[in-house]
Amino acid sequence: MPSPHFSPPPLAPLTLVLGGARSGKSAYAERLLQDHPRRLYLATAEAGDDEMAERIRHHQARRGAGWETVEAPLDLCGQLGTQARPDRPLLVDCLTLWLSNLLLAERAVDAEIDRLIDALPGLAGPVVFVANEVGFGIVPDNALARAFRDHAGRLNQRVAGCCQRVVLVAAGLPLLLKDPS
Amino acid sequence: MPSPHFSPPPLAPLTLVLGGARSGKSAYAERLLQDHPRRLYLATAEAGDDEMAERIRHHQARRGAGWETVEAPLDLCGQLGTQARPDRPLLVDCLTLWLSNLLLAERAVDAEIDRLIDALPGLAGPVVFVANEVGFGIVPDNALARAFRDHAGRLNQRVAGCCQRVVLVAAGLPLLLKDPS
Amino acid sequence: MPSPHFSPPPLAPLTLVLGGARSGKSAYAERLLQDHPRRLYLATAEAGDDEMAERIRHHQARRGAGWETVEAPLDLCGQLGTQARPDRPLLVDCLTLWLSNLLLAERAVDAEIDRLIDALPGLAGPVVFVANEVGFGIVPDNALARAFRDHAGRLNQRVAGCCQRVVLVAAGLPLLLKDPS
């Protein structure tokens, strides 16, 4: 539900948009970039099943034209280095899915996260990251879900520490957690 | 734990009070209406089992006298149209349970939500909606829970878009997400 | 990730730091006390299994030296009364684990919580409580998890009502819910 009257603040070099499932975090993040004639969408989603394929279609339809799209289900760090440019802000949607992809592919998750954190301060252009907040429920029954929750929470903390602006989105509305001004 | 010193702000035409389970969101919403001599409680809960019956008793005891109560487990839109009056604010507790009732009764959920959203701007009196935020945990294992979470999140976003004031309640305390002033 | 530039506000008599799993709530709470030459850590965790033992080691390593530690898995109220002193702030980490310990030990949970709430206003020194927010996910399948969520949410509300400062931490960053000023 992007409003035509929404006037986004100037982009910080690095922004993190946190939110729950169906919180409107992606739509909010897209609006931050909507006035930039050139903008690139770094998609971490892969259409592995029908449910995910439907989500990807839903997101594409909402974004509409005006976005270049590059897929980066695993090599997010490489793509960030290659694609970030001062004249073209990037939207990374989302870090939590990237983490999930790394775990499924049995990559060295901690090393990949270190690589991301090391790369952030040197990126050549503005980047908006979207991530899920997943730690506000009951402790999950199974150990894998607990480990995922731990990884996701620590990733969010570390990325938030590198970003100049961090917002938490609920019901489509932002709560400011950190602000450059 | 309503405080005798709590002085609620003037009611907006439409208010959404979001919160987690046992966050104090209902008590907070009730306090918004406490100074109105006439106030109506639109209850979406049905005492289907002992646990729910106990919750209903607990809520009734806390609200105390001074509330007229109408049950609207399914026909929320009809009751809103009939009951809303300028001199009598309504409290709808809660939208998430209404959604759950619609799904259990196999109603056309999207059509009912559209009907609600269409009705909101034309209501004749102030309404406070309570809803659960359910999207800040780990992705649920089963597809039904995921679908419910998606419906609830989208419903919250759409209702929040129509409301002049939106608050998120945690530990009984409000965070302002949207304000009319 | 404590920042050397973080300058914590003066301690309120009673502070509650709420947050999700891996939200950075403990690290945030520790920073509130970091400038006090004497500070005591009231630990509610017990190393019952390898996962918990690892968590305890992780927390100890981060806190570093400068903390005295007392274990209070069950008798939190007794330890608070004994240990609280004007010249030595306490960090209680965390209330949610204490609740869990009480339930596992089949103690009278409601009576213990009443005892805690009654004791709070009379404590002789500043205390910072850490607690989990666990109510922002989907309703858990099993009744025990629902009951735990209810207890935890009500405990958080009651403690928040007694504290002068309450913050909600997400991704290591605080949202102010209640402030003494």
Side-chain angles (χ1 to χ4, degrees):
Chain A
M1 279 133 284
S3 155
H5 308 299
F6 178 81
S7 99
L11 275 182
L14 297 173
T15 303
L16 174 61
V17 178
L18 272 175
R22 286 336 103 205
S23 64
K25 60 189 183 306
S26 293
Y28 178 83
E30 291 162 15
R31 296 203 312 264
L32 294 179
L33 282 73
Q34 73 187 5
D35 292 338
H36 291 267
R38 306 196 59 187
R39 50 191 189 269
L40 188 138
Y41 186 83
L42 268 180
T44 59
E46 286 183 304
D49 59 26
D50 288 354
E51 198 174 319
M52 187 56 87
E54 174 55 31
R55 279 199 179 178
I56 291 175
R57 275 192 297 271
H58 180 76
H59 274 222
Q60 284 172 338
R62 188 188 53 217
R63 281 201 305 281
W67 290 84
E68 197 180 339
T69 299
V70 169
E71 294 189 8
L74 292 168
D75 185 26
L76 177 60
C77 299
Q79 288 292 348
L80 276 174
T82 311
Q83 304 291 351
R85 298 205 309 249
D87 63 334
R88 185 181 61 181
L90 307 186
L91 174 55
V92 176
D93 194 355
C94 73
L95 287 176
T96 317
L97 208 45
W98 172 66
L99 176 66
S100 175
N101 294 339
L102 290 176
L103 287 162
L104 286 170
E106 301 186 0
R107 297 291 178 96
V109 170
D110 290 332
E112 282 293 318
I113 291 176
D114 286 345
R115 204 179 141 209
L116 174 70
I117 299 300
D118 288 346
L120 291 185
L123 292 178
V127 183
V128 176
F129 295 95
V130 173
N132 278 72
E133 172 55 60
V134 299
F136 283 92
I138 279 284
V139 180
D141 284 333
N142 76 81
L144 267 178
R146 287 199 299 277
F148 180 75
R149 194 167 79 141
D150 288 355
H151 278 301
R154 293 205 183 105
L155 172 60
N156 288 348
Q157 284 185 57
R158 293 184 70 185
V159 173
C162 298
C163 288
Q164 291 79 30
R165 181 177 284 122
V166 181
V167 298
L168 179 67
V169 175
L173 300 166
L175 283 165
L176 199 60
L177 280 162
K178 188 180 185 181
D179 192 56
S181 64
Chain B
M1 278 131 287
S3 156
H5 308 299
F6 177 82
S7 98
L11 274 182
L14 298 173
T15 302
L16 174 61
V17 178
L18 272 175
R22 285 336 105 204
S23 64
K25 60 190 183 304
S26 292
Y28 177 83
E30 289 162 18
R31 297 204 311 264
L32 294 179
L33 282 73
Q34 72 186 8
D35 292 338
H36 292 266
R38 308 197 58 189
R39 49 190 191 269
L40 189 137
Y41 186 83
L42 267 180
T44 60
E46 286 184 303
D49 59 27
D50 287 354
E51 196 174 319
M52 187 56 87
E54 173 55 30
R55 279 195 180 181
I56 290 174
R57 274 192 298 271
H58 178 77
H59 275 224
Q60 284 171 338
R62 187 187 52 217
R63 279 202 305 283
W67 291 84
E68 195 181 341
T69 300
V70 170
E71 294 189 7
L74 291 168
D75 186 26
L76 176 61
C77 300
Q79 288 292 349
L80 276 174
T82 310
Q83 305 289 353
R85 297 206 309 250
D87 63 335
R88 184 180 62 180
L90 308 186
L91 174 55
V92 176
D93 194 355
C94 73
L95 286 176
T96 316
L97 207 46
W98 172 66
L99 176 66
S100 176
N101 294 338
L102 290 176
L103 286 162
L104 286 170
E106 302 189 357
R107 297 291 178 97
V109 170
D110 289 333
E112 282 294 318
I113 292 176
D114 287 346
R115 206 180 139 208
L116 173 70
I117 299 299
D118 289 346
L120 291 185
L123 292 178
V127 183
V128 176
F129 294 95
V130 173
N132 278 72
E133 172 55 59
V134 297
F136 283 92
I138 278 284
V139 179
D141 283 335
N142 76 79
L144 267 179
R146 286 198 300 278
F148 180 74
R149 194 167 80 142
D150 288 356
H151 277 301
R154 293 204 183 105
L155 172 60
N156 288 349
Q157 283 186 56
R158 294 184 69 185
V159 173
C162 297
C163 288
Q164 291 80 31
R165 182 178 283 123
V166 182
V167 297
L168 179 68
V169 176
L173 300 166
L175 282 165
L176 199 59
L177 281 162
K178 189 180 184 180
D179 192 57
S181 63
Chain C
M1 277 133 285
S3 155
H5 308 299
F6 178 81
S7 97
L11 274 183
L14 298 173
T15 303
L16 174 62
V17 178
L18 272 175
R22 286 336 104 203
S23 64
K25 60 191 182 306
S26 293
Y28 177 83
E30 290 162 17
R31 296 205 311 265
L32 294 178
L33 282 73
Q34 71 186 8
D35 292 338
H36 292 267
R38 306 196 59 189
R39 48 191 191 270
L40 188 139
Y41 186 82
L42 268 179
T44 59
E46 286 183 303
D49 60 25
D50 289 353
E51 197 175 319
M52 187 56 87
E54 173 56 30
R55 278 193 182 184
I56 291 174
R57 275 192 297 271
H58 178 76
H59 274 222
Q60 285 172 337
R62 188 188 50 218
R63 281 203 303 284
W67 291 83
E68 196 181 340
T69 299
V70 169
E71 294 189 9
L74 291 168
D75 185 25
L76 177 60
C77 299
Q79 289 291 350
L80 276 174
T82 309
Q83 306 290 352
R85 298 207 307 251
D87 63 335
R88 184 179 63 180
L90 307 186
L91 174 54
V92 177
D93 193 355
C94 74
L95 287 175
T96 315
L97 207 46
W98 172 66
L99 176 66
S100 175
N101 294 340
L102 291 176
L103 287 162
L104 285 170
E106 301 188 0
R107 299 290 178 98
V109 171
D110 289 332
E112 283 292 320
I113 292 177
D114 287 346
R115 205 179 141 210
L116 173 69
I117 299 299
D118 289 347
L120 291 185
L123 292 178
V127 183
V128 176
F129 295 95
V130 174
N132 278 72
E133 172 55 58
V134 299
F136 283 92
I138 278 285
V139 179
D141 283 334
N142 76 80
L144 267 180
R146 286 199 299 277
F148 180 75
R149 195 167 78 143
D150 289 356
H151 278 301
R154 292 204 184 104
L155 173 59
N156 288 348
Q157 283 184 57
R158 293 184 71 185
V159 173
C162 297
C163 289
Q164 291 80 30
R165 182 177 282 122
V166 182
V167 297
L168 179 68
V169 175
L173 300 166
L175 282 164
L176 199 60
L177 280 162
K178 188 180 184 181
D179 193 58
S181 64

